[in-house]
């Protein structure tokens, strides 16, 4: 361990605050405090590090912090809420890249000695590089800069060949204490390529799982670099993130009924292949007045909120409408798909914060059998998660994803900004069903109109 | 001996990470993913140490890259998480009545 005792005491405090902060983020009441504590701890860690004995290049360090930090800070401030997932992806990728670059510095300095340290440095380089290039691909896809999914020719073989090259080079570096620079360089290049090759064929619907997995990867890479540099605080922070991120990834994959190995190796292709089921029928439009009447005189209404509702910030209006309906004697429930909101649990938090009590919010397994008894299913800004094609059309990229059985309700009303496909790019067969009506407009305004009409029907 | 101690640190940290998440209701996973993304931004400290000990121009370039990327991870991760949680809070104000 290098550095002096004061610095390491400060790092210890930082590690403790990180864990407490993460724990605080686990409850809505304390979540904001948690991130602020962690923020202070990060600033403290950075300031203390500047006083590391024997530090050179202090000007370059401060310059680097400004060059990296200021644009990221500003883009994070200005980015629209809709673009949040790709921002998390790109910041995560940068963390992975940083871990890989640290390993590269240590290799270049010839400071990687001993089997244990070499193993950690090699693993950190590999995982960090994969997280970096993989996150860049995830970012490009989520921000629409890249086709949703692309399979390389003979994808499986390419994966395996690259994995073997990476493994062989990595093992070579570990066994040969003093590996050639060219082998180390090739190792980095192959690791970066592996990240690209693994993530490129993965389709849109699987992206939350992939981002979560890459987040865990970066954590592990940071932990391994902490070992190489002899900074336990990095080990603690990195491995805590690695472990919690891995568990989170598994939970997400389970919620989507997509085993993690399927997400990675039998990816959703993102576009329906030819010969898929033709969709019959026509979309039928409805008005706010009709929607209000249908729900006001229903016995049971199930509301299915999606990402579109969150973007429009309509959750308060939706809850106001739900309360009005309940006063009129209608039974109202909210049905949440595990990946609603594109990040797991996003929707539950938004509803809870809008004041919807927990006992009215049901997840897919709890509520799916109730749709058949519902008079109205009101879909607000959700698309892929209610697409019945996922049940039937084997050629569809979303085939096999569990969906909410909205189509089984007597009436379905879909509030949607306009025609167009969902995030996966798949046409939604639900919209063409006989029992489905489309209510076009922004969720905020459409629901406000419905509320007006429901009110006018009172008494 | 120090190496073994570090391995204990790895093991205990892994259990802590597991515990922190496993007690969290599924509905709060989003802030946690973003928050943990910020926390691994501490890689910035590693980048600073690496650049601080770099000697040749090549090492300095790599170290500089590490610092820039690490700083972006930390700064961006913080802002995004804080904004997300801030959004939940403002939701509470409006809907609390």
């Amino acid at each position: 361990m290098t550095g002096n005792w004061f610095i390491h005491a400060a790092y210890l405090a930082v590690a403790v605050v990180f864990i407490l902060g993460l724990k605080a983020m686990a409850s809505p009441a304390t979540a904001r405090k948690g991130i602020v504590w962690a923020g202070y701890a990060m600033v403290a860690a950075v300031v203390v590090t500047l006083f590391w004995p024997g530090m050179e290049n202090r000007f370059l360090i401060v310059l680097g912090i400004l060059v990296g930090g200021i644009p990221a800070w500003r883009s994070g401030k200005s980015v629209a809420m809709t673009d949040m997932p790709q921002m998390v992806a790109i910041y995560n990728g940068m963390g992975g890249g940083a871990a890989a670059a640290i390993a590269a510095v240590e290799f270049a300095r010839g400071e990687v000695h001993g089997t244990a340290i070499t193993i950690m440095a090699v693993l950190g380089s590999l995982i960090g590089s994969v997280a970096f290039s993989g996150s860049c691909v995830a970012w490009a896809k989520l921000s629409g800069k890249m086709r949703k999914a692309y399979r390389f020719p003979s994808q499986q073989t390419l994966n395996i060949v690259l994995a073997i090259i990476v493994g062989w080079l990595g093992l070579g570096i570990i066994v040969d204490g003093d590996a050639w620079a060219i082998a180390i360089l090739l190792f980095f290049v192959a690791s970066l390529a592996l990240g690209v090759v693994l993530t490129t064929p993965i389709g849109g619907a699987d992206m939350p799982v992939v981002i979560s997995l890459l987040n865990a990867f970066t954590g592990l890479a940071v932990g391994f670099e902490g070992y190489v540099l002899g900074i336990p605080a990095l080990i603690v922070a990195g491995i805590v993130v690695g472990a919690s991120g891995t568990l989170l990834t598994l939970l997400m994959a389970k919620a989507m009924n997509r085993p993690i190995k399927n997400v990675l190796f039998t990816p959703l292709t993102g576009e329906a292949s030819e010969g898929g089921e033709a969709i019959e029928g026509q979309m039928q439009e409805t008005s706010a007045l009709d929607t209000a009447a249908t729900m006001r005189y229903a016995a049971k209404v199930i509301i299915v909120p999606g990402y579109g509702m969150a973007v429009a910030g309509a959750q308060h209006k939706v809850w106001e409408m739900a309360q009005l309906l309940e006063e009129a004697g209608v039974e109202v429930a909210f049905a949440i798909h595990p990946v609603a909101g594109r990040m797991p649990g996003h929707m539950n938090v938004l509803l809870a914060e809008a004041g919807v009590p927990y006992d009215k919010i049901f997840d897919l397994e709890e509520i799916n059998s109730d749709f058949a008894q519902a008079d109205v299913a009101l879909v607000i800004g959700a698309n892929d998660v209610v697409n019945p094609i996922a049940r039937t059309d084997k050629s569809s990229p979303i085939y096999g994803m569990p969906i909410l059985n909205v189509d089984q309700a007597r009436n379905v009303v879909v509030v949607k900004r306009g025609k167009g496909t969902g995030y996966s790019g798949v046409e939604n067969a639900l919209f063409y069903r006989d029992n489905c009506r489309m209510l076009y407009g922004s969720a905020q305004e459409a629901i406000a109109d419905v509320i007006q009409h429901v009110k006018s029907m009172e008494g | 001996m120090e190496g073994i101690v570090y391995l204990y640190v790895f093991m205990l940290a892994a259990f802590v990470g597991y515990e922190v998440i496993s007690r969290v209701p599924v509905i709060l996973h989003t802030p946690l993913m973003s928050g943990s993304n910020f926390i691994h931004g501490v890689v910035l400290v590693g980048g600073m140490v690496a650049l601080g000990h770099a000697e040749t121009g090549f090492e300095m370039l790599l170290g500089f890259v590490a610092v820039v990327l690490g700083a972006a991870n930390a700064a961006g991760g913080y802002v995004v998480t804080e904004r997300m949680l801030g959004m939940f809070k403002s939701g509470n104000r409006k809907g609390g009545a």
Side-chain angles (χ1 to χ4, degrees):
Chain A
M1 210 187 290
T2 48
N4 65 20
W5 69 268
F6 172 74
I7 288 176
H8 282 286
Y11 283 165
L12 177 64
V14 165
V16 170
V17 177
F18 276 163
I19 293 170
L20 291 176
L22 204 55
K23 187 135 184 57
M25 275 184 248
S27 144
T30 52
R32 201 154 175 280
K33 260 189 269 172
I35 182 69
V36 172
W37 292 343
Y40 283 127
M42 188 72 78
V43 172
V46 167
V47 170
V48 162
T49 308
L50 280 174
F51 296 97
W52 188 289
M55 282 282 262
E56 310 276 337
N57 309 324
R58 285 205 173 82
F59 171 75
L60 264 184
I61 290 173
V62 174
L63 184 70
I65 293 173
L66 296 178
V67 167
I70 291 176
W73 185 276
R74 295 178 61 160
S75 61
K77 278 271 184 222
S78 61
V79 67
M81 273 303 165
T82 31
D83 295 340
M84 244 8 150
Q86 57 259 44
M87 290 319 275
V88 173
I90 195 69
Y91 297 141
N92 172 55
M94 288 175 165
I102 291 169
V105 174
E106 296 303 300
F107 276 121
R109 289 177 63 214
E111 283 296 308
V112 183
H113 298 301
T115 314
I117 288 202
T118 317
I119 290 174
M120 293 295 176
V122 164
L123 284 177
S125 318
L126 166 62
I127 298 171
S129 301
V130 168
F132 174 71
S133 58
S135 297
C136 289
V137 171
W139 171 78
K141 281 189 180 184
L142 288 165
S143 55
K145 289 184 172 41
M146 188 174 165
R147 263 184 62 187
K148 289 277 187 263
Y150 176 81
R151 283 182 77 81
F152 290 97
S154 49
Q155 177 79 42
Q156 285 315 10
T157 325
L158 189 61
N159 285 354
I160 292 165
V161 169
L162 257 179
I164 290 173
I165 293 176
V166 169
W168 179 69
L169 284 169
L171 211 63
I173 295 167
I174 293 167
V175 172
D176 177 0
D178 199 21
W180 293 340
I182 189 79
I184 294 170
L185 185 68
L186 274 177
F187 175 69
F188 276 99
V189 172
S191 301
L192 288 169
L194 188 63
V196 174
V197 169
L198 282 177
T199 35
T200 305
I202 297 174
D206 282 336
M207 265 309 149
V209 181
V210 173
I211 296 176
S212 173
L213 184 69
L214 292 172
N215 188 43
F217 274 16
T218 303
L220 291 178
V222 171
F224 294 148
E225 294 318 322
Y227 184 91
V228 174
L229 292 169
I231 308 175
L234 256 65
I235 302 179
V236 171
I239 299 300
V240 165
V241 172
S244 61
T246 306
L247 182 62
L248 179 55
T249 308
L250 293 174
L251 289 173
M252 280 164 71
K254 199 176 145 210
M256 291 172 70
N257 198 21
R258 296 263 301 149
I260 194 72
K261 70 173 190 348
N262 287 10
V263 171
L264 292 176
F265 300 114
T266 40
L268 303 177
T269 55
E271 269 146 53
S273 48
E274 283 175 43
E277 284 175 20
I279 296 171
E280 285 169 17
Q282 268 191 323
M283 289 200 206
Q284 302 166 81
E285 206 174 329
T286 184
S287 66
L289 176 61
D290 286 341
T291 307
T294 318
M295 292 196 295
R296 169 69 176 75
Y297 299 106
K300 184 175 169 83
V301 172
I302 300 178
I303 299 173
V304 179
Y307 193 55
M309 185 205 71
V311 172
Q315 52 270 31
H316 305 101
K317 282 277 172 227
V318 171
W319 175 225
E320 191 187 333
M321 180 189 74
Q323 284 171 302
L324 273 176
L325 290 173
E326 284 191 321
E327 281 163 26
V330 184
E331 188 190 341
V332 181
F334 289 84
I336 313 268
H337 191 273
V339 295
R342 254 172 242 172
M343 292 213 262
H346 199 170
M347 197 57 57
N348 304 59
V349 177
L350 290 171
L351 289 179
E353 296 294 322
V356 182
Y358 276 64
D359 56 4
K360 296 208 180 302
I361 304 176
F362 299 92
D363 62 28
L364 186 133
E365 282 162 23
E366 291 172 316
I367 205 161
N368 242 356
S369 55
D370 293 3
F371 279 107
Q373 285 100 52
D375 299 296
V376 185
L378 180 68
V379 179
I380 309 169
N383 195 335
D384 291 334
V385 299
V386 295
N387 193 344
I389 267 187
R391 281 199 300 256
T392 54
D393 184 355
K394 285 206 167 103
S395 68
S396 170
I398 60 171
Y399 176 73
M401 180 173 87
I403 59 155
L404 290 161
N405 297 330
V406 169
D407 55 323
Q408 292 169 0
R410 197 159 307 136
N411 300 286
V412 181
V413 179
V414 178
V415 180
K416 204 166 172 301
R417 257 204 316 228
K419 294 170 186 171
T421 58
Y423 184 62
S424 70
V426 179
E427 194 71 45
N428 195 331
L430 173 72
F431 303 164
Y432 298 89
R433 295 280 167 106
D434 287 339
N435 61 344
C436 181
R437 297 287 179 278
M438 309 299 289
L439 178 59
Y440 290 115
S442 90
Q444 180 92 338
E445 286 161 23
I447 299 301
D449 282 352
V450 172
I451 288 174
Q452 285 313 314
H453 290 301
V454 171
K455 276 187 180 156
S456 68
M457 286 169 207
E458 223 123 307
Chain B
M1 194 52 209
E2 208 173 64
I4 291 293
V5 174
Y6 280 140
L7 290 183
Y8 276 91
V9 175
F10 271 102
M11 180 197 70
L12 293 172
F15 278 111
V16 169
Y18 188 88
E19 281 299 303
V20 167
I21 277 274
S22 63
R23 299 214 181 150
V24 171
V26 180
I27 60 162
L28 287 170
H29 281 168
T30 293
L32 259 160
M33 176 154 92
S34 184
S36 61
N37 179 39
F38 164 68
I39 282 174
H40 68 52
V42 75
V43 70
L44 170 60
V45 166
M48 292 169 73
V49 172
L51 177 55
H53 295 98
E55 277 150 19
T56 67
F58 180 61
E59 291 163 23
M60 277 158 70
L61 177 69
L62 285 174
F64 188 70
V65 168
V67 171
V68 169
L69 292 178
N73 182 185
Y78 180 83
V79 173
V80 166
T81 310
E82 210 260 357
R83 269 186 68 193
M84 250 193 249
L85 296 171
M87 181 172 76
F88 298 156
K89 207 182 76 176
S90 72
N92 206 7
R93 259 206 308 278
K94 279 185 230 156

